Amino acid sequence: MAGAAALSVLSIGQSHASDHQLRYAAAELATDSGAINVYSRIQQLAKEVCNDRYGRHSIVKARAVRDRCEADVIEELVSDVNDPRLDKLHAADGRRA
């Protein structure tokens, strides 16, 4: 039986952080294409979390803060999922925290 998981981004410390959840089926991680799909959702979720926290429009310095936030959220979610395919994709991404 295929399992499913949902991970919340709780370390953000914002009241709306619980609205941000990564949902995936364990079976997705069984293939490279499925892992790529999950990793893409992790990246999108990181953008949403950090845009909510720091705003979508800002000066260059704030953009750098959002970029760091995104890298941290991606690192956290990849670590929480703990899957070798995701680890490999993340290592190749170049935005490691």
Side-chain angles (χ1 to χ4, degrees):
M1 171 178 247
L7 298 173
S8 294
V9 183
L10 299 176
S11 65
I12 297 302
Q14 300 289 325
S15 60
H16 61 272
S18 62
D19 294 340
H20 298 286
Q21 290 190 350
L22 172 67
R23 296 185 189 279
Y24 65 95
E28 288 181 271
L29 300 173
T31 66
D32 289 341
S33 62
I36 290 168
N37 187 10
V38 172
Y39 193 70
S40 293
R41 292 199 314 264
I42 287 172
Q43 291 173 316
Q44 183 58 41
L45 179 63
K47 285 184 186 299
E48 292 170 12
V49 167
C50 297
N51 280 338
D52 284 352
R53 185 169 189 193
Y54 296 109
R56 288 172 179 22
H57 308 288
S58 64
I59 60 174
V60 174
K61 182 178 180 181
R63 179 65 200 165
V65 170
R66 278 198 320 273
D67 288 348
R68 183 65 199 178
C69 173
E70 289 175 19
D72 290 346
V73 171
I74 291 168
E75 181 80 23
E76 178 182 342
L77 289 171
V78 168
S79 177
D80 287 350
V81 173
N82 193 26
D83 179 79
R85 283 188 174 90
L86 281 181
D87 291 341
K88 183 178 175 182
L89 287 168
H90 185 50
D93 184 33
R95 287 195 295 176
R96 294 189 70 111

